[in-house]
Every structure is written in structure tokens, then in C-alpha cells.
Amino acid sequence: MKYLTLSGGEAVPALGQGTWYMGDDPAARDAEIEALLTGIDHGLALIDTAEMYGQGRSERLVGEAIAGRREDVFLVSKVLPSNARFEATIAACEASLKRLGTDRLDLYLLHWQGSVPYEDTIRAFERLKADGKIRHYGVSNLDLVETQAFARAGGRGMQVNQLLYNLNQRGIEWDLLPWLQQAGIVTMAYSPFDGGALTANGALRRFAEARGMTSGQVALAWLLHRSLVLPIPKAAHAARVKENAAAMDIEFGPDDLAELDALFQPPSGPEPLAIY
């Protein structure tokens, strides 16, 4: 298993599992649970979910999957901006814990910016930490200005910003990613295959096949090569999870990285934050 280190000093799995849209189809439930368990067994022991996903169905699926395996998992969930006031955040966390069948989250994120002052949400996060219901907190989908505002509001314990980041979506490299790296804050990269656009990309497929890889493995290995970047691919079948896990063993040389930069160019200036 490979790890990276949070700014607070804790080592976490370097490759995780996303769960957006998982739990929505009862007919897929057994395969999805098998996929999550296969991921844990292959080192993808960080599982990311959210109260928003399927209105709690994803959390219930994850809770069923990790029953009896809780100590093997670094568990992440998120609170909606509409629930981000102090008392509502506490209640939302407790509801997530109940659906997940656990007494604590390892990481709790504000899902995106809303109208609630960050101070209110941070105060709730700190209370939840003090009560042992969460161990760390962070944010999701915040641009540089808002990430800095969250830190100034008292969120200096922020461990993660979960962001859309992949070979096709590189806008954060202009300013946000360097700031996070300098601050020691992990970028949790969601949609690492860009919603399937990368796995269908002919140029990337040719690059991958020339090296005995799949397009998905290249996309993940490229992210794993970046400092303090933690991809969270979603895979609903065990075979795909195993394919993803193999990306941890891929090493790129300078020529490989230069070729990928030529195929998927980094930003030449600031860009609005991309969000799915």
C-alpha cells in the first residue's frame, strides 16, 4: 500500500475510492459492495462518500460494505452547504454516522461554498473533533480565494481540498494547486477519468497501449505522480478496481510526462474553478 501524509502528520492511502452514484441501483448493490471490499484489500482503503450522494444511499452502501472492516478504512464524508450552520452540521454528521454504521469519520468536508459563514461551519467541525465524531476536516470545490478565506476564518486545521482534477481538467495548476502544496494540504482529485472522456480519448489510448497500460491506469498514475494529490476513482466492479490499483506500480520518466503535457496542456493563465 502507498501512502501520502496529511499536514497533521497522519499517513493515508495514496489512492482511494469514490462512491458518487453508488447505491442508487439495488440490482448493482452486491457488485458495488464487492468492488469496495476489493479496493480495501488492494490498498484503496480510503473511501469517499457524501450525504448528498443518493440522498444517503451511498453512505448506507458504504456502511454495509465496511461492516466488520471499519478499522481498515479511512472514511470520508461531506456536509451540504445548506446544512453548514453550527447545529445543522452537527446533526448532519450524526445522520451520516448512523447511515455509515460507525461512531466516527476520519475526514469531514464542506461539500462546496454556500451562504453560511465559514466560521459557523468551522466551529461545528471543531466541536465534532472534540467530541470524537470526526478526526479531521477539510473542504471541497473551493477555489483559491475561498480556500484562503476558509483558512483565515479559523480553518487552519484544513487537511484536504477535494477538487475536479485530471489530465483534461488542469486549471488548478495555475494557482490553487501550488498554494495547497506549499501549505501541505492534500488535493483529493475526483473524477480522475473526467467522466469517461479520458478513457475514450484515442491519443491517451495509444500512449497507454505503447506502454502496456490502460488509459485509466495512465490517468491515475499521472495524478499519483503529482505532489500531495490523492485520486479517488469510482469503480463499480471488482475487476476495474484491480485495474485501478495497478496504477500505483507505474512510474513515468521525464519523456513520458513531457508527452502527456503535449497531449493535455497545462493552463497558460488563471481559469475559473471547474466543478462537476
Side-chain angles (χ1 to χ4, degrees), residues 10 15 18 49 62 98 102 111 176 194 221 235 237 244 254 260 272:
E10 182 168 354
L15 183 61
T49 187
V62 171
K98 184 176 181 180
T102 185
H111 209 149
L176 178 53
D194 202 23
H237 298 280
N244 291 343
L260 288 170

mmCIF file with all atom_site columns, all heavy atoms in Angstrom, residues 10 15 18 49 62 98 102 111 176 194 221 235 237 244 254 260 272:
data_model
loop_
_atom_site.group_PDB
_atom_site.id
_atom_site.type_symbol
_atom_site.label_atom_id
_atom_site.label_alt_id
_atom_site.label_comp_id
_atom_site.label_asym_id
_atom_site.label_entity_id
_atom_site.label_seq_id
_atom_site.pdbx_PDB_ins_code
_atom_site.Cartn_x
_atom_site.Cartn_y
_atom_site.Cartn_z
_atom_site.occupancy
_atom_site.B_iso_or_equiv
_atom_site.pdbx_formal_charge
_atom_site.auth_seq_id
_atom_site.auth_comp_id
_atom_site.auth_asym_id
_atom_site.auth_atom_id
_atom_site.pdbx_PDB_model_num
ATOM 1   N N   . GLU A 1 10  ? -0.680  12.554 9.678   1.00 0.00 ? 10  GLU A N   1
ATOM 2   C CA  . GLU A 1 10  ? -1.200  11.191 9.514   1.00 0.00 ? 10  GLU A CA  1
ATOM 3   C C   . GLU A 1 10  ? -1.005  10.696 8.089   1.00 0.00 ? 10  GLU A C   1
ATOM 4   O O   . GLU A 1 10  ? -1.278  11.415 7.119   1.00 0.00 ? 10  GLU A O   1
ATOM 5   C CB  . GLU A 1 10  ? -2.680  11.137 9.869   1.00 0.00 ? 10  GLU A CB  1
ATOM 6   C CG  . GLU A 1 10  ? -3.254  9.727  9.750   1.00 0.00 ? 10  GLU A CG  1
ATOM 7   C CD  . GLU A 1 10  ? -4.631  9.593  10.370  1.00 0.00 ? 10  GLU A CD  1
ATOM 8   O OE1 . GLU A 1 10  ? -5.107  10.560 10.994  1.00 0.00 ? 10  GLU A OE1 1
ATOM 9   O OE2 . GLU A 1 10  ? -5.228  8.518  10.218  1.00 0.00 ? 10  GLU A OE2 1
ATOM 10  N N   . LEU A 1 15  ? -4.236  6.259  -2.864  1.00 0.00 ? 15  LEU A N   1
ATOM 11  C CA  . LEU A 1 15  ? -5.276  6.072  -3.869  1.00 0.00 ? 15  LEU A CA  1
ATOM 12  C C   . LEU A 1 15  ? -6.533  5.613  -3.149  1.00 0.00 ? 15  LEU A C   1
ATOM 13  O O   . LEU A 1 15  ? -6.482  4.689  -2.329  1.00 0.00 ? 15  LEU A O   1
ATOM 14  C CB  . LEU A 1 15  ? -4.837  5.036  -4.907  1.00 0.00 ? 15  LEU A CB  1
ATOM 15  C CG  . LEU A 1 15  ? -5.776  4.766  -6.087  1.00 0.00 ? 15  LEU A CG  1
ATOM 16  C CD1 . LEU A 1 15  ? -5.998  6.019  -6.913  1.00 0.00 ? 15  LEU A CD1 1
ATOM 17  C CD2 . LEU A 1 15  ? -5.209  3.648  -6.971  1.00 0.00 ? 15  LEU A CD2 1
ATOM 18  N N   . GLY A 1 18  ? -14.002 6.513  -4.878  1.00 0.00 ? 18  GLY A N   1
ATOM 19  C CA  . GLY A 1 18  ? -15.166 7.374  -4.851  1.00 0.00 ? 18  GLY A CA  1
ATOM 20  C C   . GLY A 1 18  ? -16.441 6.565  -4.929  1.00 0.00 ? 18  GLY A C   1
ATOM 21  O O   . GLY A 1 18  ? -16.438 5.397  -5.355  1.00 0.00 ? 18  GLY A O   1
ATOM 22  N N   . THR A 1 49  ? -17.442 9.456  0.418   1.00 0.00 ? 49  THR A N   1
ATOM 23  C CA  . THR A 1 49  ? -18.872 9.499  0.155   1.00 0.00 ? 49  THR A CA  1
ATOM 24  C C   . THR A 1 49  ? -19.397 10.856 0.584   1.00 0.00 ? 49  THR A C   1
ATOM 25  O O   . THR A 1 49  ? -18.623 11.776 0.846   1.00 0.00 ? 49  THR A O   1
ATOM 26  C CB  . THR A 1 49  ? -19.590 8.317  0.857   1.00 0.00 ? 49  THR A CB  1
ATOM 27  O OG1 . THR A 1 49  ? -20.958 8.292  0.455   1.00 0.00 ? 49  THR A OG1 1
ATOM 28  C CG2 . THR A 1 49  ? -19.466 8.394  2.363   1.00 0.00 ? 49  THR A CG2 1
ATOM 29  N N   . VAL A 1 62  ? -21.897 2.112  1.681   1.00 0.00 ? 62  VAL A N   1
ATOM 30  C CA  . VAL A 1 62  ? -20.550 2.066  2.252   1.00 0.00 ? 62  VAL A CA  1
ATOM 31  C C   . VAL A 1 62  ? -20.597 1.451  3.644   1.00 0.00 ? 62  VAL A C   1
ATOM 32  O O   . VAL A 1 62  ? -19.752 0.616  4.001   1.00 0.00 ? 62  VAL A O   1
ATOM 33  C CB  . VAL A 1 62  ? -19.936 3.478  2.300   1.00 0.00 ? 62  VAL A CB  1
ATOM 34  C CG1 . VAL A 1 62  ? -18.628 3.469  3.092   1.00 0.00 ? 62  VAL A CG1 1
ATOM 35  C CG2 . VAL A 1 62  ? -19.688 4.007  0.889   1.00 0.00 ? 62  VAL A CG2 1
ATOM 36  N N   . LYS A 1 98  ? -24.825 7.529  11.441  1.00 0.00 ? 98  LYS A N   1
ATOM 37  C CA  . LYS A 1 98  ? -25.834 6.482  11.581  1.00 0.00 ? 98  LYS A CA  1
ATOM 38  C C   . LYS A 1 98  ? -25.963 5.673  10.298  1.00 0.00 ? 98  LYS A C   1
ATOM 39  O O   . LYS A 1 98  ? -26.008 4.436  10.326  1.00 0.00 ? 98  LYS A O   1
ATOM 40  C CB  . LYS A 1 98  ? -27.177 7.109  11.962  1.00 0.00 ? 98  LYS A CB  1
ATOM 41  C CG  . LYS A 1 98  ? -28.279 6.086  12.215  1.00 0.00 ? 98  LYS A CG  1
ATOM 42  C CD  . LYS A 1 98  ? -29.565 6.767  12.676  1.00 0.00 ? 98  LYS A CD  1
ATOM 43  C CE  . LYS A 1 98  ? -30.660 5.738  12.942  1.00 0.00 ? 98  LYS A CE  1
ATOM 44  N NZ  . LYS A 1 98  ? -31.915 6.405  13.396  1.00 0.00 ? 98  LYS A NZ  1
ATOM 45  N N   . THR A 1 102 ? -21.095 3.761  11.945  1.00 0.00 ? 102 THR A N   1
ATOM 46  C CA  . THR A 1 102 ? -19.827 3.966  12.634  1.00 0.00 ? 102 THR A CA  1
ATOM 47  C C   . THR A 1 102 ? -19.977 5.080  13.657  1.00 0.00 ? 102 THR A C   1
ATOM 48  O O   . THR A 1 102 ? -20.964 5.839  13.631  1.00 0.00 ? 102 THR A O   1
ATOM 49  C CB  . THR A 1 102 ? -18.704 4.311  11.641  1.00 0.00 ? 102 THR A CB  1
ATOM 50  O OG1 . THR A 1 102 ? -17.450 4.391  12.326  1.00 0.00 ? 102 THR A OG1 1
ATOM 51  C CG2 . THR A 1 102 ? -18.957 5.631  10.940  1.00 0.00 ? 102 THR A CG2 1
ATOM 52  N N   . HIS A 1 111 ? -18.966 20.433 1.438   1.00 0.00 ? 111 HIS A N   1
ATOM 53  C CA  . HIS A 1 111 ? -19.050 19.940 0.056   1.00 0.00 ? 111 HIS A CA  1
ATOM 54  C C   . HIS A 1 111 ? -18.771 21.035 -0.979  1.00 0.00 ? 111 HIS A C   1
ATOM 55  O O   . HIS A 1 111 ? -18.161 20.768 -2.012  1.00 0.00 ? 111 HIS A O   1
ATOM 56  C CB  . HIS A 1 111 ? -20.426 19.317 -0.186  1.00 0.00 ? 111 HIS A CB  1
ATOM 57  C CG  . HIS A 1 111 ? -20.418 18.247 -1.211  1.00 0.00 ? 111 HIS A CG  1
ATOM 58  N ND1 . HIS A 1 111 ? -21.273 17.178 -1.196  1.00 0.00 ? 111 HIS A ND1 1
ATOM 59  C CD2 . HIS A 1 111 ? -19.661 18.058 -2.314  1.00 0.00 ? 111 HIS A CD2 1
ATOM 60  C CE1 . HIS A 1 111 ? -21.044 16.384 -2.231  1.00 0.00 ? 111 HIS A CE1 1
ATOM 61  N NE2 . HIS A 1 111 ? -20.069 16.912 -2.932  1.00 0.00 ? 111 HIS A NE2 1
ATOM 62  N N   . LEU A 1 176 ? -4.106  27.451 -7.565  1.00 0.00 ? 176 LEU A N   1
ATOM 63  C CA  . LEU A 1 176 ? -4.652  26.757 -6.398  1.00 0.00 ? 176 LEU A CA  1
ATOM 64  C C   . LEU A 1 176 ? -3.795  25.573 -5.979  1.00 0.00 ? 176 LEU A C   1
ATOM 65  O O   . LEU A 1 176 ? -3.451  25.426 -4.795  1.00 0.00 ? 176 LEU A O   1
ATOM 66  C CB  . LEU A 1 176 ? -6.086  26.302 -6.690  1.00 0.00 ? 176 LEU A CB  1
ATOM 67  C CG  . LEU A 1 176 ? -6.806  25.504 -5.600  1.00 0.00 ? 176 LEU A CG  1
ATOM 68  C CD1 . LEU A 1 176 ? -6.771  26.220 -4.258  1.00 0.00 ? 176 LEU A CD1 1
ATOM 69  C CD2 . LEU A 1 176 ? -8.243  25.202 -6.027  1.00 0.00 ? 176 LEU A CD2 1
ATOM 70  N N   . ASP A 1 194 ? -12.308 12.057 -15.883 1.00 0.00 ? 194 ASP A N   1
ATOM 71  C CA  . ASP A 1 194 ? -13.097 13.128 -16.499 1.00 0.00 ? 194 ASP A CA  1
ATOM 72  C C   . ASP A 1 194 ? -14.412 12.601 -17.052 1.00 0.00 ? 194 ASP A C   1
ATOM 73  O O   . ASP A 1 194 ? -14.784 12.867 -18.203 1.00 0.00 ? 194 ASP A O   1
ATOM 74  C CB  . ASP A 1 194 ? -12.294 13.836 -17.593 1.00 0.00 ? 194 ASP A CB  1
ATOM 75  C CG  . ASP A 1 194 ? -12.821 15.243 -17.881 1.00 0.00 ? 194 ASP A CG  1
ATOM 76  O OD1 . ASP A 1 194 ? -13.473 15.818 -16.995 1.00 0.00 ? 194 ASP A OD1 1
ATOM 77  O OD2 . ASP A 1 194 ? -12.585 15.752 -18.996 1.00 0.00 ? 194 ASP A OD2 1
ATOM 78  N N   . ALA A 1 221 ? -2.041  7.121  -12.731 1.00 0.00 ? 221 ALA A N   1
ATOM 79  C CA  . ALA A 1 221 ? -0.612  7.194  -12.439 1.00 0.00 ? 221 ALA A CA  1
ATOM 80  C C   . ALA A 1 221 ? -0.094  8.617  -12.584 1.00 0.00 ? 221 ALA A C   1
ATOM 81  O O   . ALA A 1 221 ? 0.783   9.051  -11.827 1.00 0.00 ? 221 ALA A O   1
ATOM 82  C CB  . ALA A 1 221 ? 0.160   6.242  -13.345 1.00 0.00 ? 221 ALA A CB  1
ATOM 83  N N   . ALA A 1 235 ? -15.265 2.881  -9.030  1.00 0.00 ? 235 ALA A N   1
ATOM 84  C CA  . ALA A 1 235 ? -15.350 1.657  -9.820  1.00 0.00 ? 235 ALA A CA  1
ATOM 85  C C   . ALA A 1 235 ? -16.421 0.777  -9.201  1.00 0.00 ? 235 ALA A C   1
ATOM 86  O O   . ALA A 1 235 ? -16.365 0.483  -8.005  1.00 0.00 ? 235 ALA A O   1
ATOM 87  C CB  . ALA A 1 235 ? -14.013 0.935  -9.863  1.00 0.00 ? 235 ALA A CB  1
ATOM 88  N N   . HIS A 1 237 ? -17.133 -2.337 -10.195 1.00 0.00 ? 237 HIS A N   1
ATOM 89  C CA  . HIS A 1 237 ? -16.861 -3.760 -10.406 1.00 0.00 ? 237 HIS A CA  1
ATOM 90  C C   . HIS A 1 237 ? -15.444 -4.079 -9.925  1.00 0.00 ? 237 HIS A C   1
ATOM 91  O O   . HIS A 1 237 ? -14.513 -3.286 -10.110 1.00 0.00 ? 237 HIS A O   1
ATOM 92  C CB  . HIS A 1 237 ? -17.019 -4.131 -11.877 1.00 0.00 ? 237 HIS A CB  1
ATOM 93  C CG  . HIS A 1 237 ? -18.404 -3.914 -12.390 1.00 0.00 ? 237 HIS A CG  1
ATOM 94  N ND1 . HIS A 1 237 ? -19.429 -4.802 -12.163 1.00 0.00 ? 237 HIS A ND1 1
ATOM 95  C CD2 . HIS A 1 237 ? -18.941 -2.889 -13.100 1.00 0.00 ? 237 HIS A CD2 1
ATOM 96  C CE1 . HIS A 1 237 ? -20.540 -4.343 -12.717 1.00 0.00 ? 237 HIS A CE1 1
ATOM 97  N NE2 . HIS A 1 237 ? -20.270 -3.184 -13.294 1.00 0.00 ? 237 HIS A NE2 1
ATOM 98  N N   . ASN A 1 244 ? -7.412  -0.341 -11.450 1.00 0.00 ? 244 ASN A N   1
ATOM 99  C CA  . ASN A 1 244 ? -7.030  0.937  -10.849 1.00 0.00 ? 244 ASN A CA  1
ATOM 100 C C   . ASN A 1 244 ? -5.871  0.780  -9.869  1.00 0.00 ? 244 ASN A C   1
ATOM 101 O O   . ASN A 1 244 ? -4.934  1.589  -9.860  1.00 0.00 ? 244 ASN A O   1
ATOM 102 C CB  . ASN A 1 244 ? -8.226  1.558  -10.127 1.00 0.00 ? 244 ASN A CB  1
ATOM 103 C CG  . ASN A 1 244 ? -9.323  2.019  -11.070 1.00 0.00 ? 244 ASN A CG  1
ATOM 104 O OD1 . ASN A 1 244 ? -9.101  2.167  -12.270 1.00 0.00 ? 244 ASN A OD1 1
ATOM 105 N ND2 . ASN A 1 244 ? -10.508 2.246  -10.528 1.00 0.00 ? 244 ASN A ND2 1
ATOM 106 N N   . PRO A 1 254 ? 10.764  11.349 -17.398 1.00 0.00 ? 254 PRO A N   1
ATOM 107 C CA  . PRO A 1 254 ? 10.570  12.718 -17.889 1.00 0.00 ? 254 PRO A CA  1
ATOM 108 C C   . PRO A 1 254 ? 9.987   12.770 -19.296 1.00 0.00 ? 254 PRO A C   1
ATOM 109 O O   . PRO A 1 254 ? 9.162   13.646 -19.593 1.00 0.00 ? 254 PRO A O   1
ATOM 110 C CB  . PRO A 1 254 ? 11.987  13.303 -17.847 1.00 0.00 ? 254 PRO A CB  1
ATOM 111 C CG  . PRO A 1 254 ? 12.705  12.493 -16.823 1.00 0.00 ? 254 PRO A CG  1
ATOM 112 C CD  . PRO A 1 254 ? 12.133  11.110 -16.917 1.00 0.00 ? 254 PRO A CD  1
ATOM 113 N N   . LEU A 1 260 ? 2.777   13.566 -22.180 1.00 0.00 ? 260 LEU A N   1
ATOM 114 C CA  . LEU A 1 260 ? 1.429   13.810 -21.657 1.00 0.00 ? 260 LEU A CA  1
ATOM 115 C C   . LEU A 1 260 ? 1.122   15.303 -21.588 1.00 0.00 ? 260 LEU A C   1
ATOM 116 O O   . LEU A 1 260 ? -0.007  15.728 -21.854 1.00 0.00 ? 260 LEU A O   1
ATOM 117 C CB  . LEU A 1 260 ? 1.282   13.155 -20.279 1.00 0.00 ? 260 LEU A CB  1
ATOM 118 C CG  . LEU A 1 260 ? 1.192   11.632 -20.288 1.00 0.00 ? 260 LEU A CG  1
ATOM 119 C CD1 . LEU A 1 260 ? 1.297   11.076 -18.882 1.00 0.00 ? 260 LEU A CD1 1
ATOM 120 C CD2 . LEU A 1 260 ? -0.104  11.167 -20.954 1.00 0.00 ? 260 LEU A CD2 1
ATOM 121 N N   . PRO A 1 272 ? -11.413 29.757 -14.276 1.00 0.00 ? 272 PRO A N   1
ATOM 122 C CA  . PRO A 1 272 ? -12.435 29.530 -13.237 1.00 0.00 ? 272 PRO A CA  1
ATOM 123 C C   . PRO A 1 272 ? -12.366 28.080 -12.759 1.00 0.00 ? 272 PRO A C   1
ATOM 124 O O   . PRO A 1 272 ? -12.034 27.171 -13.533 1.00 0.00 ? 272 PRO A O   1
ATOM 125 C CB  . PRO A 1 272 ? -13.755 29.814 -13.975 1.00 0.00 ? 272 PRO A CB  1
ATOM 126 C CG  . PRO A 1 272 ? -13.378 30.601 -15.176 1.00 0.00 ? 272 PRO A CG  1
ATOM 127 C CD  . PRO A 1 272 ? -11.990 30.167 -15.557 1.00 0.00 ? 272 PRO A CD  1
#
